[in-house]
Amino acid sequence: MFEINWGAMNQEVAVRMTGIVKRFPGVVANDGVNFEARVGEVHALLGENGAGKSTLSNVLTGLYRPDEGTTELNGVQVSLASPRDALSAGIGMVHQHFRLVPTFTVAENIVLGEKNKNLLINASEVCARVEQLSTRYGLAVDPRARVWQLSVGEQQRVEILKVLYRGAKVLILDEPTAVLTPQEADTLFATLRAMAKEGRTVIFISHKLEEVMAVSDRVTVLRGGKTVGTVETLSTSTRDLARLMVGRELVFDRVVRVGMSEPSNPVLEVSNISAYDDRGNIAVADVSFVVGRGEIVGVAGVSGNGQRELAEVLGGMRPVIAGGFEVAGIKVTAGKVRQSIKAGVAHIPEDRLHTGLAASHSVEDNLVLKSYRHKPVSKFSVIQRKIIRRHAVELIERYDVKTPDSATPVRLLSGGNVQKVLLAREFSADPRVLVAASPTRGLDVGAIEGVRKRIVEAADRGVGVLIISEDLEELLSMSDRILVMYEGRIIGDVPTVQATREAIGLLMGGIVTANTGISNAGITEPQS
Amino acid sequence: MISGRRRAWLAFAIVGALVLAACGGTDSATEVVEETTDTVAVTDTTPAAAAEPFTLANFTPMEGAEVVNCAPPAGEPIKAAWIYIGPINDGGWTQAHHEGLKAVQAALGDQVITTYKENIPEGPQAVQTIDQLVADGNTIIFANSYGYQDAFVEGAAKYPDVCFEHMTGYKISRNLSQSFGAGEDGKYLSGIAAGGDTKNGKIGVVAPFPIPEVIRGINAFALGARSVNPSATIQIVWTNTWFDPALERKAAESLIAAGVDTLAAFQDSPATGEAAKVAGLGWAGYGADQNANFPDIWLNATIYQWAVYEVPRVKAALEGRWIAGDYYGNLGDGFIKMSSIGKRVSADTVAKIAEASARLAAASGSMFTGPIKGQDGTEKIAAGVTASHGEQMGMFYLVEGIIGDLPKG
Amino acid sequence: MRSPLRLERRLSQPRSLRWLVPLISIGAALVLGSILMLLTGKNPITVFQRIVESGFGSKTALRGSLIAATPLAFTGMCAAITFRVGIINIGGEGQFFVGAIGASLVGLALGGQPTAFTIFAMIVMGMLFGGAYAALVGVLKARFHTNEIITSLMLNYLAGILLNYLIFNSTSYWRDPRSIGFPAGKPLEARAWWPKFELFGVQIPLGFLIAIVLGSLVLFLYRRTRFGFEVGVIADSPQAARYAGMNTRWKIIAVVTLSGAIAGIGGASDVGDFRHILDAKGLQLAGYGYTGIVVAALARFSPLAAVGVAVVIGGLTNAGYALQGPDFQSGLVGTLQGLLLFTAVAGEVLTRYRIRLRRTTTAS
């Protein structure tokens, strides 16, 4: 254990990592990465998934031990053996995958693992401090709530608070804005800037170019486990960064549709649905809408406003208090997953790896997760292994899933390939309706493109698509219409052609003005 | 719950129990196991030349007993084995048996090679252990738990040239004997000590199982106590354990709370003594002499001397004179022994114990001489009549003065 | 001061470890055991030789080992079936007892019937009793989210009390009316005793053969059937199971019931194969249910492997009894057995984690 004397900040460089090499069986995740972050700056670490960002940050936080290379903190060479070591040296990490104990309260999670001088936790004191931090950084969360009851967005706030609570000098944030509204993201950026001003170092991992441009002082770009370069943010552009990141030109545009949206030919009719959340509070309140054949309808909203619950109702995982829905004119019994599956509802849940898939199960098993009950996958209750494998090989090829073989557990796949497995399964069932919750969250640029393409193709084939996303750009670029959810209700139903980023953002914040959403600005150009 | 040390029991069989003629006023309490036909061919069992028939006080040969030749080849030592239910240092039952093994070794010196297996579970493993011991050349095998009985019946049938000595059971056969002793004689003497010790006339007994041996012992204890203190009451609490110190201590404490001022326990743990020590009350133990550990509260205890039986039996086997039968030792032959008597026991009581001890040594079980009334006041044993051995073995009622219930069938 | 070593979870388990680690474990056990032997003045080579000989070295040794192994095969499977799907049923002990109660009931009642018929009835009753008893645990868990560790443990005690009641505290059907002295179970008629089979001269109890068949069936059930597929997904992620429309409640109840049914057949085998009575005291002191948990852990919760591990542990147990005597205290045998098990479990940990050296900071 060692302490870094951050008080004596005579060094300009807070973190210097030199020649970091980290190998995993069959993969070199970091191949001689050099990285340097200055005291008092927001430094973006940019790269596609699999570029080595996570590995590098895991080395810095002591989770991995590098095979080669050195790390210096404030000019002192260190060897960090564990995240606890790193934390005591002043390095705090906000992970992309949360490390929270679901059954504990927010406050308990925040003090968990803290080196406690006195064994007893003073709950009210902790809560007070958490509330103070929440207010200060605009990270609204009830310190007394239990984590399992929180939405993904709220859980991320807990993660950020956890690190702030421990007063880390170097903060690493792995895709922190993925679940935040544009307004919230802006607040967070302000927080990050303020922290940098206080003399902290913020390392901001992202593959979202706008964000990087908006918040960082400098950007280090990784590609294929190697450092491509470090640039001053002021002297670069999104286009340059994109080129550095993917090694080729990329254009974000409104998707091109081949098929027709038929809003007048409904495949999904939702009428007056109300449902509780896990805590027994009303999460979905009297929601009605229609999705037409081939139509892509976006659902915007800040995480925790009932979108997840709505998706779960449609997927059959959550019972309703009132109301119901029909698929292609046939009433579906709510709260019965098999009914939804039978009716042709494909469901891509928010938590892909643990709800949409059985993480430790193989790719091939996950591909039949919903069809194992019937012939030809099972005959007389006996699972037909050969058929499952053949089915898997075919889908792996068709959906271009990068996996060593069909027997590999999906948890070993990258995020993009995980999503491909999920899409492959859901689409292979030939659905009428697709309900997708945050389908591209946490994916890299290349994978996002692929996922969007698959979804649009499905719509072109006539599938009615409901996309729930906190990524407004995504909704704007894909959907025909955008529904805005706020506190369980739909408070806006805006044709995308009439939507602006700002107007939707205001609706997400519950602000309904006279001309809400009905702007004549036409298609908002996605800034790229 | 039964746990910890397993204890063997002298059991009584209703069937086949009344066959033998009375012998010294004692009925047999054994059942003869029919010879099974699928045994290994019976070998020549002609007794060794000049061998005299085996006799021992309180040993009743099986009807039609024949000599079993489990002697070693001339000039060689006999191999004798003991199978124990507990560890040899359990401070009670198995340790007492192990003293017997040591006495055999000491008495016969290089004419015997002793061995033992401890902590052997009852059930299938016992059969395996017998096989192993026979394969190792042992020709006389002892076992100290009731639960080995069926394994011994099986072993005796399988190995006709091996002498089997089972303790506390009731089945005998050509080469299978049973042995135990009159613990009730000792418990009667403990009762006298407790009756002399109590001030308020309330005595508490922490009792193991409601089974005849224990019931007989409690009755003997109560008769002893009331022989010196006719108005004494004996309150019992069943623990259904042989060895569970925590539970037994709780039982003892509940008795103290109920107002008893003298305690006895017939389990093997000194837990009752510890509770008594805290309260400063007199305590009669069982199976082990705890005078040195509990000097201020110690009354006395019954001790078993297995050497009294085992030494002559191994000697008989060595000499080719072994026959099957049933042994029930007592104070008279020294199988039952009184422990040292604690310093708190008055001289008057010591004298009464000595007097009663002499009386019982001459006539074991004679405390069960009428008139004896049951708890409900009905006459159980008529005036002037002594309960037969068989009746004593099957005793299933509590005598007058005892507070407590027997489980209903 | 912190240990310079730390455990790091392996991302994947190299295949070679599956064979290497057990070998190293055995090696370590031999070395540690040898040290113990040398310290107590024994020749380690002869001791190990005796263990192998008296556990597995002869037909009689094998027979004894199989006798010790049979109940453990059932309780080991019982634990493995639930543990591998994340349900901690430690109630194998009680389910075994209750199975023995059920099996002895029909065994006694049908003693005069043809042997095959009686045996079949005993197996079925053991299965039903054990299964029903375990179902209590499953229902409580599935419906009321009761912690199955606690309920199954409490039911173990309850089953023990029930045994005591049937044999010691009442004149029940199971109790031998002749056993007024020391209460004992009524003996089964010899016609109802389960037969033993000979294979290469080694006597094999019927129960052991049943265990092998059951182990294979359960393996097939888990690997190849819809039921097994669903149970596997539930264990991996209950959320995903719900998402895929699986009825998790019924599956939990079914798995626990199945495991109890197997323990119950073990109880039937205990009565039919070995004791031929309902042995209240012997069953409670044997602790088969709890040893079964160790068996399952060593078998990595594979039902069929549990049967194999049971044979090894049975052999070790059997050898232990053979080994001990005046020159080899039973406490020392116990220590040696504990050492072997400890290294085996430690080796199991090594297949999941690896040890890394912790380098300390180079400058200050």
Side-chain angles (χ1 to χ4, degrees), chain B residues 120-347:
Chain B
I120 300 297
E122 294 164 358
Q125 191 59 50
V127 181
Q128 294 303 304
T129 305
I130 292 169
D131 288 347
Q132 177 84 37
L133 290 171
V134 171
D136 289 347
N138 293 286
T139 54
I140 178 165
I141 302 175
F142 293 85
N144 76 342
S145 182
Y146 175 85
Y148 296 139
Q149 180 163 265
D150 289 337
F152 265 53
V153 170
E154 194 181 326
K158 200 157 139 192
Y159 304 111
D161 288 342
V162 175
C163 297
F164 286 90
E165 292 278 5
H166 184 254
M167 288 139 177
T168 72
Y170 63 95
K171 292 177 180 170
I172 59 177
S173 68
R174 194 190 66 88
N175 57 339
L176 171 61
S177 287
Q178 294 290 349
S179 52
F180 197 29
E184 56 273 19
D185 289 2
K187 287 171 183 167
Y188 182 80
L189 301 181
S190 287
I192 295 174
D197 187 72
T198 180
K199 303 283 176 293
N200 66 5
K202 291 179 174 177
I203 301 166
V205 175
V206 183
F209 283 93
I211 55 173
E213 183 213 327
V214 175
I215 292 166
R216 185 165 76 237
I218 292 169
N219 284 342
F221 179 87
L223 292 172
R226 286 161 71 92
S227 74
V228 295
N229 190 344
S231 63
T233 58
I234 292 88
Q235 190 166 348
I236 53 174
V237 171
W238 301 109
T239 63
N240 279 331
T241 61
W242 293 119
F243 191 82
D244 185 341
L247 183 62
E248 287 152 21
R249 182 163 183 162
K250 255 186 216 155
E253 282 163 356
S254 76
L255 286 168
I256 293 169
V260 308
D261 72 348
T262 299
L263 283 161
F266 299 139
Q267 291 91 346
D268 305 315
S269 92
T272 302
E274 277 155 15
K277 191 176 175 182
V278 172
L281 305 179
W283 169 52
Y286 179 67
D289 192 337
Q290 296 280 10
N291 199 351
N293 299 327
F294 297 86
D296 296 332
I297 59 160
W298 182 250
L299 301 176
N300 63 356
T302 308
I303 314 255
Y304 297 102
Q305 297 286 312
W306 288 97
V308 170
Y309 174 70
E310 291 176 352
V311 173
R313 293 294 280 171
V314 178
K315 195 156 181 288
L318 177 69
E319 291 165 358
R321 299 187 296 123
W322 193 95
I323 54 171
D326 174 34
Y327 172 78
Y328 198 68
N330 57 37
L331 279 165
D333 66 5
F335 179 83
I336 300 293
K337 204 183 114 187
M338 186 44 47
S339 73
S340 63
I341 297 178
K343 64 185 180 190
R344 75 182 275 147
V345 181
S346 69

Side-chain angles (χ1 to χ4, degrees), chain C residues 51-64:
Chain C
I51 290 180
V52 174
E53 271 171 20
S54 45
F56 311 97
S58 66
K59 284 168 188 169
T60 42
L62 271 174
R63 186 191 64 184

Side-chain angles (χ1 to χ4, degrees), chain A residues 85-393:
Chain A
D85 267 11
L87 204 58
S88 71
I91 297 176
M93 172 98 185
V94 176
H95 288 275
Q96 193 177 351
H97 298 291
F98 311 137
R99 282 133 208 249
L100 300 171
V101 183
T103 52
F104 281 19
T105 66
V106 169
E108 281 165 351
N109 267 284
I110 285 171
V111 293
L112 193 71
E114 192 189 33
K115 261 204 321 195
N116 239 331
K117 306 243 158 35
N118 36 347
L119 277 166
L120 293 169
I121 293 168
N122 185 337
S124 60
E125 199 183 297
V126 171
C127 287
R129 259 195 81 189
V130 169
E131 269 163 359
Q132 184 200 331
L133 284 167
S134 305
T135 322
R136 183 168 162 201
Y137 295 114
L139 298 162
V141 62
D142 176 7
R144 288 163 197 87
R146 301 212 172 259
V147 162
W148 64 268
Q149 303 167 321
L150 302 183
S151 69
V152 173
E154 287 168 322
Q155 290 184 27
Q156 179 142 43
R157 289 176 213 160
V158 179
E159 283 282 1
I160 295 173
L161 281 168
K162 201 158 114 183
V163 179
L164 292 173
Y165 183 86
R166 299 188 194 173
K169 295 293 177 189
V170 177
L171 278 94
I172 308 168
L173 296 102
D174 193 0
E175 312 269 357
T177 60
V179 291
L180 304 182
T181 61
Q183 283 87 346
E184 275 179 325
D186 289 343
T187 318
L188 177 67
F189 293 163
T191 310
L192 299 185
R193 300 252 28 113
M195 290 195 296
K197 207 171 239 170
E198 280 172 27
R200 293 177 215 247
T201 303
V202 178
I203 298 171
F204 183 86
I205 300 172
S206 182
H207 52 241
K208 290 186 183 161
L209 304 171
E210 297 85 5
E211 281 178 13
V212 168
M213 291 301 293
V215 74
S216 67
D217 297 307
R218 290 196 300 158
V219 186
T220 294
V221 182
L222 296 183
R223 188 171 73 228
K226 293 194 165 104
T227 314
V228 181
T230 299
V231 293
E232 298 283 335
T233 310
L234 287 175
S235 62
T236 186
S237 68
T238 47
R239 206 161 281 270
D240 289 344
L241 287 179
R243 198 184 307 112
L244 282 173
M245 185 165 78
V246 298
R248 63 189 160 96
E249 291 283 346
L250 261 187
V251 190
F252 290 95
D253 263 326
R254 171 109 181 105
V255 294
V256 182
R257 292 289 305 272
V258 179
M260 286 283 293
S261 290
E262 302 170 50
S264 55
N265 184 4
V267 283
L268 174 66
E269 284 175 275
V270 173
S271 2
N272 309 100
I273 282 185
S274 295
Y276 292 121
D277 64 10
D278 291 337
R279 278 174 286 190
N281 300 323
I282 297 274
V284 180
D286 199 25
V287 164
S288 303
F289 61 88
V290 168
V291 178
R293 195 169 184 284
E295 194 181 19
I296 301 181
V297 176
V299 179
V302 180
S303 172
N305 274 288
Q307 309 94 304
R308 183 178 75 176
E309 287 79 5
L310 175 63
E312 286 175 358
V313 166
L314 298 177
M317 296 175 74
R318 186 171 291 277
V320 293
I321 322 165
F325 64 101
E326 292 181 3
V327 172
I330 297 160
K331 190 163 169 43
V332 181
T333 314
K336 307 267 180 203
V337 174
R338 287 195 223 173
Q339 289 280 330
S340 286
I341 294 173
K342 221 172 119 191
V345 179
H347 178 199
I348 295 176
E350 192 172 320
D351 184 352
R352 298 188 278 270
L353 202 49
H354 296 289
T355 301
L357 300 165
S360 297
H361 275 60
S362 62
V363 172
E364 59 188 43
D365 281 358
N366 272 291
L367 285 171
V368 295
L369 200 60
K370 284 182 174 175
S371 58
Y372 70 92
R373 287 186 192 89
H374 311 290
K375 282 183 186 175
V377 182
S378 61
K379 274 184 209 152
F380 307 107
S381 281
V382 176
I383 296 281
Q384 303 300 311
R385 280 271 150 227
K386 269 184 198 157
I387 288 169
I388 289 176
R389 181 144 303 181
R390 215 181 300 142
H391 173 75
V393 168

Side-chain angles (χ1 to χ4, degrees), chain C:
Chain C
M1 188 62 204
R2 291 164 73 187
S3 156
L5 299 175
R6 65 180 183 130
L7 287 177
E8 195 173 287
R9 206 188 166 108
R10 287 178 192 279
L11 292 173
S12 59
Q13 297 178 19
R15 287 234 149 224
S16 58
L17 282 179
R18 298 195 145 216
W19 303 106
L20 205 60
V21 168
L23 283 180
I24 294 172
S25 297
I26 291 168
L30 291 178
V31 170
L32 289 173
S34 299
I35 294 170
L36 181 71
M37 292 303 99
L38 290 172
L39 284 176
T40 49
K42 317 251 183 290
N43 180 348
I45 295 167
T46 45
V47 168
F48 288 124
Q49 222 170 349
R50 271 177 69 189
I51 290 180
V52 174
E53 271 171 20
S54 45
F56 311 97
S58 66
K59 284 168 188 169
T60 42
L62 271 174
R63 186 191 64 184
S65 297
L66 287 181
I67 289 172
T70 304
L72 298 181
F74 286 102
T75 55
M77 264 193 279
C78 165
I81 285 168
T82 53
F83 276 58
R84 75 179 279 159
V85 296
I87 302 167
I88 317 296
N89 169 25
I90 53 173
E93 182 88 0
Q95 291 143 17
F96 192 93
F97 294 172
V98 172
I101 292 172
S104 51
L105 175 67
V106 285
L108 292 169
L110 302 177
Q113 303 299 317
T115 305
F117 178 68
T118 311
I119 290 172
F120 179 74
M122 284 176 77
I123 294 171
V124 170
M125 280 294 270
M127 195 169 81
L128 289 178
F129 272 56
Y133 203 61
L136 286 175
V137 176
V139 169
L140 287 171
K141 181 179 170 64
R143 284 226 64 98
F144 305 109
H145 298 289
T146 328
N147 184 328
E148 73 276 17
I149 302 178
I150 292 165
T151 51
S152 58
L153 189 65
M154 297 312 289
L155 286 173
N156 285 353
Y157 292 128
L158 192 63
I161 291 168
L162 183 62
L163 277 181
N164 282 352
Y165 175 76
L166 293 178
I167 301 301
F168 296 117
N169 295 335
S170 68
T171 47
S172 72
Y173 182 73
W174 288 263
R175 179 163 160 173
D176 188 351
R178 304 190 313 168
S179 65
I180 286 183
F182 191 78
K186 206 188 279 174
L188 232 54
E189 276 186 42
R191 279 187 77 173
W193 293 14
W194 292 14
K196 293 183 172 53
F197 299 91
E198 292 239 341
L199 190 69
F200 305 116
V202 179
Q203 250 186 28
I204 298 170
L206 175 62
F208 186 76
L209 296 178
I210 294 175
I212 292 175
V213 172
L214 281 176
S216 318
L217 283 178
V218 171
L219 202 65
F220 178 81
L221 183 74
Y222 270 1
R223 291 230 176 121
R224 291 298 306 275
T225 67
R226 228 156 68 181
F227 176 85
F229 185 84
E230 292 181 329
V231 167
V233 173
I234 291 167
D236 187 349
S237 166
Q239 268 301 103
R242 226 160 58 79
Y243 162 82
M246 297 169 184
N247 189 332
T248 50
R249 276 185 187 171
W250 278 111
K251 292 296 172 314
I252 289 171
I253 296 172
V255 166
V256 178
T257 305
L258 173 69
S259 86
I262 287 181
I265 298 174
S269 146
D270 184 79
V271 176
D273 271 323
F274 308 117
R275 295 184 204 262
H276 309 127
I277 59 164
L278 183 64
D279 183 352
K281 200 153 69 98
L283 281 175
Q284 290 181 72
L285 286 159
Y288 296 135
Y290 299 114
T291 313
I293 295 170
V294 178
V295 169
L298 289 175
R300 291 180 193 147
F301 307 128
S302 158
L304 195 56
V307 178
V309 172
V311 173
V312 175
I313 303 238
L316 209 57
T317 311
N318 186 34
Y321 292 122
L323 197 62
Q324 62 120 317
D327 56 335
F328 212 116
Q329 297 86 332
S330 80
L332 191 58
V333 172
T335 311
L336 194 61
Q337 288 168 332
L339 207 61
L340 295 175
L341 286 182
F342 171 78
T343 49
V345 174
E348 170 58 21
V349 170
L350 282 186
T351 57
R352 289 205 215 127
Y353 295 88
R354 57 180 159 190
I355 296 173
R356 298 294 305 255
L357 200 63
R358 194 197 291 277
R359 269 174 278 156
T360 42
T361 174
T362 49
S364 58

Side-chain angles (χ1 to χ4, degrees), chain A residues 363 367 389-403 406 420 424 454:
Chain A
V363 172
L367 285 171
R389 181 144 303 181
R390 215 181 300 142
H391 173 75
V393 168
E394 194 189 306
L395 286 178
I396 285 169
E397 203 193 313
R398 183 154 19 120
Y399 284 81
D400 191 28
V401 181
K402 300 246 170 9
T403 173
S406 64
K420 281 182 196 166
R454 294 285 180 195

